Amino acid sequence: MRRALLAPGELAGAYVPTMPEDLAKMAQTVMGGRWYNCPNGHPYYVDLCGRPTVVQQCAECGADIGGTDHNLLETNVDIGNVGTAYNQTTVLEDRSERNYCLRDAATEGADRHYSARALGPAAVQAVRLCLHAALCAGAAAAEMGGPGALAQWAQSVRPLLNTTFCNPSAEELPGYFVDHYHGNWTLLKALLNKSTDDTALALHLILLSAGGASPALEAQGAPNAPDGPAPAVPGGGALGTAEWRSAWEARCLRDHLFPVLAEAGLEERLAAAARRFGPAADGGGGGDDAGG
């Protein structure tokens, strides 16, 4: 968040948390086995021994795929040239995109149950809300910085954008992030099924935890983290590879998101937070307008 707020250009080239991944690589990692391409380049999977024994049609384009007697159709491609031996495994190259890869807020908001690797829907929206809040705050600070400051901010953000997914103009950029911020807030509130005040309290607890105050959550009834050690984040938190991003997300979930957002004990944690932070956060009696 600090870099997104103060120096977003430093994130250029990073695998940004919650961004989409290479679905074919994800499927191959989960399923293993052999993978082939149809004549039009659409991947498909063959289980058991990994060699085709039947001709079927590609689910994407209808072209013939597979083969007979363990022989691949000549028009199909053995991804990675694994060969004709049985029980081999294709290893796909990870083609996940770098940088900020979100389309417009309306398109992204249409899939309210989107998950990213270890992060479930509510966790995704919480992380994206923090990211967009930092970017919006950076734009607001630049706008107060005098002539040309906002244009300089937009120029600093430009290298972070993956223009395959989004390419707003410099003038549109602040509003683009504001729209996403409001969309994340609306989705998070709906996913938690909480009031505006309670949703804000949950975010406050997450930020306190990320800022080093996580022991306070234990006193508020935070559940134990999921079993198993949190993955180490190589490079001190760097996001230079897709694997490092996955490790960052898993650690963030374990240390900061799950202890707050887990359904078990959530009401008690929010009530304790409302008492702790004063009458302005009344634990559920606030309005329902979006904004946080």
Side-chain angles (χ1 to χ4, degrees):
M1 283 185 63
R2 180 191 63 81
R3 283 192 288 175
L5 173 64
L6 300 176
E10 291 183 4
L11 290 170
Y15 287 90
V16 178
T18 80
M19 298 298 121
E21 64 186 319
D22 181 347
L23 295 180
K25 174 61 176 177
M26 177 185 68
Q28 181 267 318
T29 299
V30 172
M31 299 172 67
R34 291 293 298 275
W35 290 76
Y36 305 92
N37 276 337
C38 84
N40 295 313
H42 302 124
Y44 65 93
Y45 167 76
V46 176
D47 61 2
L48 299 179
C49 74
R51 297 296 297 171
T53 59
V54 63
V55 175
Q56 296 182 325
Q57 281 67 52
C58 173
E60 296 288 336
C61 65
D64 285 346
I65 60 172
T68 57
D69 298 324
H70 301 101
N71 295 312
L72 185 68
L73 292 173
E74 292 184 357
T75 56
N76 287 206
V77 174
D78 178 6
I79 299 176
N81 293 317
V82 178
T84 59
Y86 300 154
N87 302 312
Q88 302 299 303
T89 299
T90 302
V91 178
L92 298 179
E93 179 185 356
D94 191 337
R95 299 180 181 274
S96 297
E97 298 270 7
R98 297 174 184 263
N99 294 330
Y100 179 95
C101 303
L102 297 184
R103 305 183 193 278
D104 64 271
T107 300
E108 296 294 339
D111 185 4
R112 62 180 292 176
H113 296 295
Y114 172 82
S115 298
R117 296 161 292 278
L119 303 180
V124 164
Q125 296 306 321
V127 172
R128 288 184 177 178
L129 182 58
C130 292
L131 171 64
H132 289 121
L135 291 167
C136 289
E143 192 170 20
M144 296 185 292
L150 188 58
Q152 291 178 355
W153 170 84
Q155 186 176 5
S156 74
V157 173
R158 179 61 55 184
L160 176 60
L161 303 182
N162 186 323
T163 55
T164 301
F165 295 84
C166 61
N167 193 22
S169 67
E171 293 76 18
E172 296 169 333
L173 200 51
Y176 192 87
F177 292 141
V178 168
D179 288 345
H180 272 284
Y181 169 83
H182 283 293
N184 299 145
W185 172 265
T186 300
L187 283 176
L188 180 61
K189 184 170 173 288
L191 289 165
L192 295 179
N193 193 27
K194 297 298 178 186
S195 70
T196 295
D197 283 349
D198 277 352
T199 304
L201 282 171
L203 282 169
H204 197 70
L205 291 175
I206 290 170
L207 292 173
L208 279 176
S209 174
S214 54
L217 291 175
E218 298 176 7
Q220 296 166 14
N224 293 326
D227 292 337
V233 181
L239 298 168
T241 70
E243 291 77 13
W244 290 10
R245 172 177 61 188
S246 294
W248 185 96
E249 290 170 338
R251 194 176 187 93
C252 183
L253 176 68
R254 178 185 175 88
D255 293 348
H256 309 304
L257 298 170
F258 181 85
V260 174
L261 299 178
E263 185 174 352
L266 179 57
E267 292 288 349
E268 291 78 7
R269 291 192 295 280
L270 293 177
R275 292 191 296 270
R276 178 183 177 191
F277 300 125
D282 61 9
D288 288 333
D289 55 306

